[in-house]
Amino acid sequence: MKKYIKSLAILLTLSLGFAACSEDEVEQVTYAQSEEIASWASETDGNKDPLYDYNISLYINQTGDTLCTFTRIDKKTGNEKYLRRGVVSYDKLAGMTTVTFPKQSSYPDVMNMIGKLYLARHRDMSRMTVQLFKMDNDGNSKMVKNFTAVKTGGFCISEINWRINGEKTNSEFSFKLTSPYEKNGEVIKDEAIIMVDGTTYRGAKYKWNSASGTGEITYSDGDVNFHVILSVNARNQVVATLNGKTYTMLSV
């Protein structure tokens, strides 16, 4: 029992940032019984990372599995890099989430390597310690990023294809968002490509608030006009409403 308590004290000290304490001073913390479906953003107080912001989204896919998207956002240009479709495992005793990402093709720190993301809840349940590791083919690991994240109401949805329930063959409605880019020191707003009933429309404009998880896509070209309202549902999925009809959108 003493060995168990001592190990628990060490875990709390490392993951929650507590000061070292004796076995008798260890405070019992009760964590959620199951994974919380929510989004998290890196703390910006004190400008801890001068180059990037980070965003974590835990969501439920069309088959009921809990997955994770990890996003790195360039503070200067707004360009984003993603780790996608991470498989989530939750330890309710430690309040610890482990995410295993398959080999990625474009995220620079873990390109073509397995990524491991560890999320350790703090005592207040509104903050957590985040550590990202890259794993090589021999099972060796190297930490490439660590920071503290706070709970937020939304997440990043740019630079990605979104289709109804993630079905690639469904042409009723879909959209693709592209990242902003910098030109002469000015950040140009994102553009979107939308498909409605099999017809593609380029040059649509969109707004998205990563903190609140709300936004819109608008397209206007003569007699053709579309206004799409975007939001996030209880499963942390993107929901789009077009012409009075609401769709659940998943990334592909």
Side-chain angles (χ1 to χ4, degrees):
M1 177 60 74
K2 286 188 176 181
K3 183 177 181 181
Y4 170 77
I5 295 176
K6 186 174 293 185
S7 298
L8 178 60
I10 293 172
L11 174 63
L12 292 174
T13 300
L14 293 176
S15 65
L16 308 184
F18 295 156
C21 59
S22 68
E23 296 173 14
D24 294 335
E25 294 173 334
V26 175
E27 180 179 343
Q28 297 299 317
V29 180
T30 301
Y31 296 101
Q33 291 298 303
S34 59
E35 180 64 74
E36 180 182 15
I37 305 304
S39 296
W40 307 77
S42 55
E43 284 187 328
T44 57
D45 293 343
N47 199 27
K48 294 180 175 60
D49 189 327
L51 299 178
Y52 304 109
D53 288 320
Y54 297 89
N55 189 274
I56 299 162
S57 172
L58 300 173
Y59 68 97
I60 299 176
N61 68 3
Q62 65 270 38
T63 59
D65 300 316
T66 300
L67 300 180
C68 177
T69 299
F70 180 87
T71 310
R72 190 192 76 180
I73 308 103
D74 189 299
K75 289 185 176 182
K76 183 178 180 180
T77 66
N79 288 321
E80 300 164 356
K81 292 293 184 180
Y82 296 86
L83 291 171
R84 297 190 176 107
R85 301 180 184 86
V87 178
V88 174
S89 175
Y90 176 67
D91 183 344
K92 64 181 180 181
L93 296 180
M96 175 79 72
T97 299
T98 302
V99 182
T100 303
F101 292 98
K103 290 184 178 181
Q104 309 284 313
S105 60
S106 61
Y107 194 88
D109 289 331
V110 293
M111 186 179 297
N112 296 321
M113 305 184 80
I114 296 173
K116 286 275 191 180
L117 186 67
Y118 297 97
L119 314 175
R121 268 70 172 184
H122 289 202
R123 186 175 357 193
D124 61 8
M125 306 301 174
S126 65
R127 299 166 73 245
M128 64 184 182
T129 298
V130 180
Q131 294 182 329
L132 175 64
F133 287 79
K134 64 178 180 181
M135 317 290 291
D136 64 21
N137 293 328
D138 296 324
N140 301 313
S141 64
K142 178 183 178 180
M143 187 169 68
V144 296
K145 191 61 189 176
N146 71 295
F147 56 90
T148 300
V150 294
K151 195 178 299 184
T152 182
F155 52 86
C156 301
I157 66 170
S158 301
E159 199 181 319
I160 201 168
N161 288 287
W162 296 85
R163 293 182 179 270
I164 299 171
N165 295 323
E167 299 173 0
K168 295 182 179 181
T169 58
N170 192 326
S171 62
E172 181 178 354
F173 171 66
S174 65
F175 60 88
K176 179 180 181 179
L177 309 179
T178 59
S179 289
Y181 62 94
E182 187 181 22
K183 183 178 181 181
N184 298 326
E186 180 182 3
V187 174
I188 308 300
K189 295 296 183 182
D190 293 10
E191 292 189 351
I193 301 171
I194 63 174
M195 177 187 290
V196 181
D197 295 330
T199 301
T200 300
Y201 302 89
R202 299 179 180 274
K205 303 297 182 181
Y206 85 96
K207 299 177 182 178
W208 176 257
N209 188 316
S210 295
S212 64
T214 58
E216 63 180 0
I217 302 174
T218 56
Y219 178 84
S220 180
D221 183 14
D223 295 332
V224 180
N225 298 279
F226 297 110
H227 184 207
V228 182
I229 302 297
L230 302 174
S231 61
V232 176
N233 64 15
R235 292 189 164 197
N236 223 13
Q237 301 165 335
V238 173
V239 175
T241 301
L242 172 64
N243 297 330
K245 192 171 183 179
T246 300
Y247 306 94
T248 298
M249 311 298 295
L250 294 172
S251 61
V252 296

